[in-house]
Amino acid sequence: MNTTQSLGQLAVQIPGATAVFRRFKLDFCCGGQQSLAEACAQKGLDADTILSEIEGLVPVQVEPDTRSPSQLIDHVLSRYHEVHRQQLPELIRMARRVEAVHRDHPLVPQGLANHLETMEQELLDHMAKEEQVLFPLLKQGGHPMVIHPIGMMRHEHVSHGAQLER
């Protein structure tokens, strides 16, 4: 990753980069062909500082410690639940913007923002069930009835996958 990459490339490659660009008022959509260095120079911004912030968004790939259910649950919470909560609102914002600004373009995915909002709500509900019911049961060593919430969560995971395919 470097400052010669286009804003558009960085926006696509690095989840969360769009929020950084928006904060600094850098146009990564229609002006997405510009390099980070060029866009920053035009605005009087330090490209290296912004690049460092974007690089900080790239998650360090760490193998989860699976020696105990508690450690695996903590990994799921930090690596997936928190990331979904951070990134989905930005994806919805971007989809709304693209639908509004480029609504007449035939390749604009009409209804994507609404679909993402529905998915976000379903994921938030799902994660709440995991965090409030399933994960506490598992952290306490399990319970004979834990099979029921596990079955429900597995069913919802399949449903979420189908929604992602759509």
Side-chain angles (χ1 to χ4, degrees):
M1 189 177 336
N2 61 59
T3 61
T4 63
Q5 284 184 274
S6 74
L7 296 177
Q9 287 174 317
L10 292 167
V12 169
Q13 292 172 349
I14 312 297
T18 58
V20 174
F21 294 152
R22 215 170 7 85
R23 200 170 71 247
F24 288 101
K25 296 181 178 24
L26 296 171
D27 180 8
F28 58 90
C29 182
C30 297
Q33 72 283 356
Q34 261 189 323
S35 72
L36 176 61
E38 293 167 338
C40 287
Q42 288 177 1
K43 297 247 183 207
L45 301 168
D46 181 43
D48 289 324
T49 300
I50 294 174
L51 183 63
S52 292
E53 189 169 338
I54 293 169
E55 287 173 337
L57 298 170
V58 178
V60 176
Q61 296 297 330
V62 177
E63 287 295 316
D65 188 346
T66 58
R67 287 178 284 186
S68 77
S70 183
Q71 292 165 323
L72 183 56
I73 288 166
D74 291 344
H75 173 74
V76 168
L77 291 172
S78 65
R79 174 61 185 92
Y80 297 100
H81 287 209
E82 288 309 312
V83 171
H84 292 333
R85 286 185 176 106
Q86 291 169 6
Q87 292 180 358
L88 280 168
E90 179 68 11
L91 286 173
I92 293 165
R93 231 183 332 272
M94 288 189 323
R96 285 240 180 271
R97 179 117 172 105
V98 168
E99 287 179 40
V101 172
H102 302 287
R103 70 181 146 272
D104 295 329
H105 193 284
L107 297 178
V108 169
Q110 296 298 323
L112 178 60
N114 288 339
H115 184 67
L116 288 171
E117 278 184 338
T118 300
M119 288 181 62
E120 178 188 36
Q121 191 54 57
E122 289 174 359
L123 278 170
L124 290 172
D125 292 344
H126 174 86
M127 292 184 301
K129 287 185 262 185
E130 285 182 336
E131 292 165 7
Q132 295 167 9
V133 178
L134 179 59
F135 291 169
L137 280 173
L138 293 174
K139 280 188 168 192
Q140 294 170 4
H143 184 277
M145 299 304 285
V146 78
I147 193 156
H148 298 295
I150 288 174
M152 177 57 75
M153 296 300 101
R154 291 181 76 192
H155 171 75
E156 289 180 7
H157 283 198
V158 171
S159 175
H160 297 313
Q163 293 303 319
L164 282 172
E165 280 290 321
R166 180 172 171 245

